[in-house]
Amino acid sequence: MACLDLRGRDCLVVGGGRVATEKVHGLLDCDAEVTVVAPELEPELVDLPVQIVRRPFSRSDVVGRFLVVAATNDRSVNADVSSAARERETLCNVADDPELCSFILPAIVRRDPIVVGVSTGGASPALAQRIRSDVADMIGPEHAELARRLEALRPWAKRELATYEERRDYFQQLVAETLA
């Protein structure tokens, strides 16, 4: 599993339905620049801060994209999106079709700045969503506040604590004491 910094990155979502809308929301949560290509769109998509292209997918839509998501209800279109992305060595996720993906999107819990991803490797999105829900119940506002506090301490720790091990031990002790 890897975490990608999508801030300002050019991302494409192919599809205009409910699943595409979910994927767009996830990308926007990461501050990505999103273009949606679809002949028909859910009304909610039109109101989002995305570029809309109302037409069927064209393989050239992948050019210059950092990441592509195919979220149509037509497997042949999704396969074409996946193939075009693979040819351009562009990351591609195809909703509910792991064999067409170059990466899988985990079920996410966000408690800014904390993000927890849960994946079953594509075996069961339903199970990943259930585990995500269980994890969400464990992460409270105190965890988010602690994360912001620790982030603010990082520059000091890099200046004052000479080694990785010293910094690791310092932060582990601080977390243990705070959450005890």
Side-chain angles (χ1 to χ4, degrees), residues 5-11 27-28 30-34 64 66:
D5 182 356
L6 298 180
R7 289 175 289 193
R9 299 284 192 150
D10 190 351
C11 298
L27 291 168
L28 292 173
C30 297
D31 295 324
E33 298 293 326
V34 180
F66 179 74

Side-chain angles (χ1 to χ4, degrees), residues 14-17 36-42 52-57 72 77:
V14 179
V36 176
V37 173
E40 297 178 24
L41 300 163
E42 291 280 321
I52 302 288
V53 180
R54 287 185 184 256
R55 61 165 171 71
F57 170 73
T72 77
V77 171

